[in-house]
Amino acid sequence: MFAKRLVVPSSHAQKPTRISSRSILRLALLGISVLPASDSIFVPRRQVFQKALSMTSNRGIYFGGYQQPVHEQVLEKRLKADRNHVVVQVYAVSINPVDAKGVIGDKLATHWTRARRFAHNCMIKNTRVGFDFAGKVVESPYGHSQAEDLSEGTIVYGTMPPLQGSFAEYIRVPCHQLAKAPCSASIEEIACLPLVGLTAWQALSPYIKPEQSNVLVVGGSGGTGHIAIQMAKALGAKTVTTICSTRNVDFVKKCGATDVIDYQTEDDVIAALQRRVDEPFDIIFDTVTSGDPNDAIYNYPQRIQQATNPPILTPEYCYQRLGGKWTDWIRAGLARPGIFPHSWLWSDPRERLFWIKFPKSSVALQELTKIVDSGQLRVHVQKIYPEMTVDTVQQAMDDLLSRRVQGKIAIRVIPQQQQ
């Protein structure tokens, strides 16, 4: 039905599955784990069933070739629920920078034109766009241990594995990558939450100490940044400071920022931090730094870490950033399996290039649902496109690349009146 996928046999599999050379290349360059951990939940065989979804077609949006626009495909192969997957009718999706940058993003240097073209055409071309989704379960495996949350008719949200894509009318989702949706948010808000919510949760929750941690969010008005501010507050951070532009100051304050540094009015952002910080920061969450020359010019990691008299950081600080040079992505990819100690790969063991983990993210999504329904977290959706078409998806990508989006962008797949 979709582009070829990497399938690794587990102890539950009957026969080994061959791995294509194209799949090996995808895994090597992206460094992304697309499979659940070995202790994933399996249902006894006698409880397993497969049921074909009754539909004639399934419209989806796919990546074109290198620097080419997206295109639409209509697939007629029927989707099936099984012991580890449910079939979801997608109501809404959201666009993320990783989608707009063709998934590869800054993992390869921007001037490596031939390498980027080769990688895109081998790995990304004709794969479906998107990670985030919200929708209704239309086929579910009977007897699954999470059946109460994944039964037919349940409104759910989550992420699709890398390169499998969420931009379609129907998708087949791993049970360990979705959860019952919050009941206190709109379907568009729900669709915008998974990727940014998981990023903020995974990056901040292991390090924030309630009523003790001082957090700095670099770039607090974007899709991930505004969620990170709220997440830090929900996790009990003592203070949350952020850096943003003039037009976003009021917005980040509404998100819960304790203090705001306006980089457009301050002559020196670092000096402004030194003047305003009563206590050094324990955690820095940097959404701006990347391998893109437009972002690299700010050089926030080096400037913040080298600031002294007074220092901005505590001796035990943790610097989490979401992007970097291609060499940083290699180190981050080697660190993901846990084979190499972090201190072997980075000159500064307190600095980390964050890389989201999708397998078994349903537990974190359940925590996000609780935080949203408690009123501590709200996704700001700046724009909602009323229909998923080639033109609207391409326009949403262009919006994100303009770096002017406040919060998130959502796209409806099913019109509201049909939900």
Side-chain angles (χ1 to χ4, degrees), residues 38-334:
S38 59
D39 57 347
S40 298
I41 300 172
F42 285 84
V43 181
R45 185 173 298 277
R46 64 178 180 275
Q47 295 180 343
V48 175
F49 77 100
Q50 290 189 341
K51 186 177 179 181
L53 179 63
S54 179
M55 63 180 185
T56 57
S57 64
N58 183 18
R59 186 172 59 91
I61 304 296
Y62 291 74
F63 285 107
Y66 181 65
Q67 294 186 337
Q68 294 179 354
V70 298
H71 61 273
E72 181 178 294
Q73 292 184 27
V74 177
L75 303 177
E76 297 184 355
K77 183 176 181 180
R78 296 175 182 269
L79 300 179
K80 296 180 181 179
D82 61 26
R83 59 183 180 179
N84 295 308
H85 298 80
V86 296
V87 177
V88 174
Q89 183 181 23
V90 180
Y91 285 173
V93 294
S94 72
I95 198 82
N96 291 285
V98 67
D99 305 311
K101 295 178 181 179
V103 182
I104 293 175
D106 59 350
K107 296 178 182 69
L108 293 175
T110 54
H111 61 277
W112 290 4
T113 306
R114 291 184 179 179
R116 293 179 70 87
R117 183 187 301 275
F118 173 78
H120 183 98
N121 289 336
C122 286
M123 298 163 45
I124 311 302
K125 183 180 179 180
N126 293 327
T127 62
R128 198 159 57 199
V129 176
F131 289 85
D132 292 340
F133 69 88
K136 180 177 70 174
V137 177
V138 292
E139 292 291 348
S140 178
Y142 174 79
H144 195 282
S145 62
Q146 295 178 331
E148 65 276 10
D149 289 334
L150 301 181
S151 58
E152 293 178 13
T154 303
I155 303 300
V156 295
Y157 74 129
T159 59
M160 284 293 284
L163 305 179
Q164 295 186 25
S166 61
F167 282 40
E169 294 173 320
Y170 295 89
I171 53 178
R172 182 172 177 265
V173 190
C175 294
H176 61 86
Q177 285 190 212
L178 79 166
K180 188 175 182 179
C183 58
S184 60
S186 69
I187 199 69
E188 291 81 15
E189 291 172 335
I190 294 168
C192 288
L193 180 59
L195 195 64
V196 294
L198 288 173
T199 297
W201 172 266
Q202 292 179 9
L204 296 175
S205 60
Y207 304 103
I208 289 182
K209 298 178 181 179
E211 303 302 326
Q212 298 181 41
S213 299
N214 296 300
V215 180
L216 172 63
V217 178
V218 181
S221 63
T224 307
H226 88 287
I227 295 296
I229 293 172
Q230 298 175 75
M231 182 65 70
K233 298 289 287 187
L235 292 171
K238 184 178 180 181
T239 64
V240 182
T241 301
T242 189
I243 301 171
C244 69
S245 63
T246 304
R247 71 184 186 92
N248 293 315
V249 169
D250 290 338
F251 170 63
V252 296
K253 286 182 177 178
K254 290 179 181 179
C255 291
T258 311
D259 201 358
V260 182
I261 305 297
D262 181 351
Y263 69 82
Q264 290 181 318
T265 60
E266 295 287 352
D267 293 332
D268 187 339
V269 169
I270 305 303
L273 285 171
Q274 291 175 311
R275 288 196 304 269
R276 299 192 190 192
V277 172
D278 296 326
E279 299 178 55
F281 295 110
D282 306 283
I283 302 164
I284 301 85
F285 185 77
D286 184 348
T287 73
V288 173
T289 298
S290 76
D292 189 313
N294 294 316
D295 300 325
I297 58 175
Y298 296 104
N299 195 22
Y300 280 119
Q302 184 176 356
R303 293 167 63 199
I304 290 174
Q305 292 174 74
Q306 294 182 356
T308 58
N309 194 30
I312 297 176
L313 308 176
T314 63
E316 297 79 24
Y317 73 87
C318 174
Y319 196 114
Q320 296 266 37
R321 53 188 171 89
L322 303 186
K325 299 178 180 179
W326 65 273
T327 51
D328 295 335
W329 285 107
I330 291 177
R331 283 193 285 265
L334 292 173

